[in-house]
Amino acid sequence: MLELKNINYIVDDKQILKDVSLKIDDKFVVITGPNGSGKSTLTKICAGIIKPTTGQVFLDNIDITNKNITERSKMGISFGFQQPVTFKGLKVSDLLKLAKGKEASFSEICDILSEVGLCARDYYDRNLDNKLSGGELKRIEIAMVIARNSKISIFDEPEAGIDLWSFQRLIQVFEKMIANTKGSILIISHQERILNIASKIIYLNDGVVERYEEKEKILPDIIKNINATCKKL
């Protein structure tokens, strides 16, 4: 379980997060809300990329507030960036072996690639460079998180910058992850199809958690607000 207690984050005299307290132990939790509401900041604090101004972060009741991203990764927290990074000279199979943290056989790597809809024959020896499309990089990054088998898997808008086909495949990948994970998946998204497969939804607005409820209770109101906003535009 990941728990945040009274998290505040201030930068350049601007308060980005305001007294955020959450317990995340459901299989698939989606963070949504208007642009600039602090969603990415919140996930980066969970992952240890940035440190809160005040407040505490706990993993399974252990205070990890002062632990960095590397230390938290070793404890079981993975982070998928909105724009996946590329590594010149590193192959897809090398990345997945590193993520697994132990010797991984050819068949194990192939199985992980298959889980995210990539043919092992085509991708096992591919270089992680800019010749890969956005959708390919997203799926490889998700494969890396799957290989890590983390307690908490965090994704920052994984649908950003990918085409419709890749997005449809992405939904299938997340559905499979939900079925197989023993931990929790925390994801930032505005997409209704991703919101639809959530266990719970966190609605963040102006740095404040306005609602944190089961999908069935909150999603109709979110869709209503989206539709109202679209009509105004």
Side-chain angles (χ1 to χ4, degrees):
M1 179 183 70
L2 186 67
E3 183 176 6
L4 289 78
K5 288 186 178 180
N6 308 113
I7 296 293
N8 290 277
Y9 186 70
I10 301 169
V11 60
D12 296 331
D13 296 324
K14 182 179 180 182
Q15 188 158 7
I16 309 299
L17 295 175
K18 305 169 185 176
D19 199 33
V20 172
S21 294
L22 294 166
K23 287 184 179 180
I24 297 165
D25 57 1
D26 292 270
K27 274 200 169 187
F28 196 73
V29 177
V30 179
I31 305 174
T32 195
N35 291 334
S37 58
K39 301 183 295 296
S40 290
T41 300
L42 181 61
T43 56
K44 287 175 181 176
I45 285 174
C46 292
I49 298 170
I50 57 178
K51 187 178 176 181
T53 305
T54 59
Q56 294 172 286
V57 183
F58 294 85
L59 178 64
D60 295 335
N61 299 315
I62 298 171
D63 190 340
I64 61 170
T65 310
N66 294 316
K67 295 190 181 298
N68 60 34
I69 186 171
T70 303
E71 292 169 318
R72 294 189 196 192
S73 177
K74 290 176 181 177
M75 295 178 73
I77 298 178
S78 296
F79 189 88
F81 291 89
Q82 188 176 131
Q83 297 295 332
V85 292
T86 56
F87 301 91
K88 189 175 181 180
L90 191 67
K91 293 180 179 179
V92 172
S93 55
D94 295 330
L95 180 70
L96 297 183
K97 287 174 184 177
L98 286 169
K100 203 161 180 62
K102 60 180 182 179
E103 277 299 315
S105 67
F106 175 82
S107 62
E108 285 178 309
I109 298 301
C110 291
D111 287 343
I112 293 168
L113 288 170
S114 296
E115 280 193 54
V116 297
L118 296 175
C119 175
R121 181 182 59 196
D122 297 333
Y123 287 90
Y124 190 90
D125 287 321
R126 282 283 296 273
N127 288 318
L128 278 163
D129 54 27
N130 55 15
K131 292 180 182 178
L132 291 163
S133 70
E136 288 172 322
L137 284 171
K138 292 281 187 180
R139 279 184 274 167
I140 290 166
E141 187 168 50
I142 293 170
M144 180 183 69
V145 175
I146 291 171
R148 284 191 49 76
N149 193 25
S150 302
K151 294 178 182 178
I152 308 290
S153 301
I154 304 171
F155 297 94
D156 186 353
E157 294 193 52
E159 73 273 13
I162 62 172
D163 57 59
L164 181 60
W165 187 90
S166 295
F167 176 67
Q168 291 171 338
R169 184 75 205 193
L170 194 67
I171 296 294
Q172 296 171 4
V173 170
F174 279 123
E175 287 174 333
K176 193 166 186 178
M177 280 187 72
I178 294 167
N180 294 335
T181 187
K182 293 180 181 178
S184 295
I185 301 165
L186 179 64
I187 176 173
I188 297 174
S189 182
H190 301 282
Q191 292 289 337
E192 186 177 340
R193 285 188 63 187
I194 290 180
L195 291 166
N196 260 315
I197 59 175
S199 310
K200 286 186 178 178
I201 297 173
I202 298 166
Y203 187 81
L204 196 65
N205 188 19
D206 195 25
V208 175
V209 176
E210 290 193 347
R211 294 177 69 178
Y212 180 25
E213 299 178 80
E214 288 80 6
K215 172 193 66 182
E216 292 77 14
K217 293 180 180 178
I218 189 173
L219 187 55
D221 292 334
I222 291 173
I223 293 171
K224 191 186 298 180
N225 288 338
I226 291 171
N227 291 338
T229 302
C230 290
K231 286 179 182 178
K232 287 179 183 178
L233 296 173

